[in-house]
């Protein structure tokens, strides 16, 4: 919605438009209101952020209209990344929309650990399970490519809309990736992998009611809700994954910060070895890994 007080029908200074948007975001309780206003105006006008502070920079009426439409959406709680249409993850710009979760900084821990665990393997066959935007798998493949390490990468999701978004992201980040629509492993046949990476839905029923409103009301519940105790997907993935892992293959999972012991136990019960839990920068359990040791 346009800020009617600001509209004059003339080219307005970028500074004036920016200030009006900033005030609206601040009034709505947006924490980083100034920076978000700058980002929204850059997206609306298609010009660099630094230009907004030049005295002769002007915003056209169509650009003003788009900017205040963005501001209105943000004041109503829509996530900034969905309005912009992108999010940054592991140094890469990913297209995002309301069919996929917004990649979180914490999830970079999973990619980093996967890279370290395979950095001495020249050729890897990898599966990004519950891929969403493709952030995990595509970042993993692209980082390995920088070191001239080969990755045969598949991205799998049950959502056609999510897979379409991941395919768009692959074009610029890791175009060699292939895609499969499947309910977890159901459509995989006899394919086996050296590493399976996954950030499955793990929010509990109780936690769903306590999520921030912009997450609860805008991000896809299909990618959030993990059953009453948050472990439904871990049970299925851990139980079924060994038949899709090569000998010594790695399963690496992001977890909720209170789920480490439970996921470790599930891995042990299902025959995984070398099970480890790793913490994020905040000191919270974030990643669990296990290896498919095949004993003779």
């Amino acid at each position: 919605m346009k800020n009617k007080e600001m509209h004059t029908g003339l080219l307005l200074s970028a500074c004036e438009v920016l200030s009006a948007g900033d005030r609206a975001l601040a009034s709505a309780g947006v924490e980083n209101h100034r920076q978000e206003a700058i980002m929204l105006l850059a997206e609306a006008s298609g010009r660099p952020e630094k230009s907004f502070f030049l005295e002769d920079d002007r915003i056209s009426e169509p650009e003003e209209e788009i900017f205040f439409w963005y501001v209105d959406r943000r004041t109503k709680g829509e996530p900034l990344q969905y309005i912009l249409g992108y999010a940054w993850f592991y140094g890469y710009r990913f297209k995002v929309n309301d069919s996929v979760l917004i990649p979180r900084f914490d999830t970079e821990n999973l990619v980093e650990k996967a890279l370290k665990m395979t950095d001495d393997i020249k050729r890897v066959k990898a599966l990004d399970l519950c891929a969403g935007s493709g952030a995990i798998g595509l970042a993993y493949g692209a980082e390995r490519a920088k070191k001239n390490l080969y990755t045969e990468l598949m991205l799998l999701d049950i959502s056609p809309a999510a897979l379409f978004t991941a395919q768009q992201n692959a074009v610029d980040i890791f175009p060699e990736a292939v895609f499969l629509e499947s309910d977890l492993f159901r459509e995989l046949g006899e394919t086996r992998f050296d590493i399976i990476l996954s950030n499955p839905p793990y929010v509990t029923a109780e936690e769903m009611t306590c999520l921030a409103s912009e997450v609860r009301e805008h991000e896809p519940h299909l990618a959030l809700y993990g059953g009453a105790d948050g472990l439904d997907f871990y049970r299925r993935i851990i139980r079924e994954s060994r038949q899709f892992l090569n000998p010594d293959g790695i399963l690496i999972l992001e977890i909720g910060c209170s789920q480490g012991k439970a996921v470790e136990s599930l891995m042990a019960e299902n025959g995984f070895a070398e099970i480890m839990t790793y913490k994020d920068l905040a000191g919270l359990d974030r990643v669990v890994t296990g290896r498919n040791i095949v004993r003779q």
Side-chain angles (χ1 to χ4, degrees), residues 163-215:
L163 279 180
F164 179 72
T165 303
Q167 288 174 310
Q168 290 181 304
N169 285 321
V171 172
D172 295 323
I173 298 171
F174 194 73
E176 299 86 354
V178 298
F179 302 85
L180 178 66
E181 181 184 335
S182 178
D183 178 5
L184 296 185
F185 301 103
R186 186 166 294 173
E187 306 298 328
L188 270 178
E190 298 181 359
T191 306
R192 286 179 176 263
F193 300 90
D194 301 305
I195 185 168
I196 296 174
L197 312 91
S198 186
N199 178 18
Y202 58 70
V203 180
T204 68
E206 182 179 356
E207 289 168 343
M208 287 294 291
T209 66
C210 303
L211 290 174
S213 60
E214 69 178 62
V215 176

Side-chain angles (χ1 to χ4, degrees), residues 97-282:
N97 51 59
D98 61 7
S99 69
V100 298
L101 289 183
I102 298 165
R104 265 66 173 185
F105 175 72
D106 286 341
T107 303
E108 293 186 359
N109 289 278
L110 189 155
V111 176
E112 185 173 352
K113 181 55 60 178
L115 289 168
K116 287 181 179 178
M117 294 182 77
T118 56
D119 64 359
D120 61 344
I121 306 175
K122 291 185 178 180
R123 299 178 67 86
V124 163
K125 190 169 183 178
L127 172 66
D128 181 355
L129 187 67
C130 308
S133 67
I136 291 172
L138 296 174
Y140 173 77
E143 287 296 300
R144 282 180 52 84
K146 289 178 181 178
K147 298 180 180 181
N148 294 317
L149 299 173
Y150 176 79
T151 307
E152 183 180 341
L153 174 66
M154 176 182 285
L155 291 93
L156 182 156
D157 203 285
I158 195 172
S159 164
L163 279 180
F164 179 72
T165 303
Q167 288 174 310
Q168 290 181 304
N169 285 321
V171 172
D172 295 323
I173 298 171
F174 194 73
E176 299 86 354
V178 298
F179 302 85
L180 178 66
E181 181 184 335
S182 178
D183 178 5
L184 296 185
F185 301 103
R186 186 166 294 173
E187 306 298 328
L188 270 178
E190 298 181 359
T191 306
R192 286 179 176 263
F193 300 90
D194 301 305
I195 185 168
I196 296 174
L197 312 91
S198 186
N199 178 18
Y202 58 70
V203 180
T204 68
E206 182 179 356
E207 289 168 343
M208 287 294 291
T209 66
C210 303
L211 290 174
S213 60
E214 69 178 62
V215 176
R216 186 177 63 251
E217 296 173 10
H218 295 277
E219 298 198 52
H221 285 202
L222 182 67
L224 290 167
Y225 183 54
D229 63 357
L231 298 173
D232 284 4
F233 284 85
Y234 295 109
R235 292 186 183 96
R236 288 187 60 193
I237 290 169
I238 293 169
R239 183 176 65 246
E240 299 171 19
S241 60
R242 286 193 67 197
Q243 65 180 299
F244 297 99
L245 281 168
N246 288 322
D248 293 329
I250 298 163
L251 176 62
I252 180 165
L253 301 168
E254 178 169 327
I255 58 167
C257 61
S258 64
Q259 295 170 325
K261 294 300 182 185
V263 173
E264 283 184 358
S265 295
L266 287 169
M267 281 196 176
E269 291 166 10
N270 285 275
F272 281 89
E274 299 180 14
I275 301 164
M276 295 289 294
T277 296
Y278 299 91
K279 297 184 183 298
D280 60 23
L281 293 178

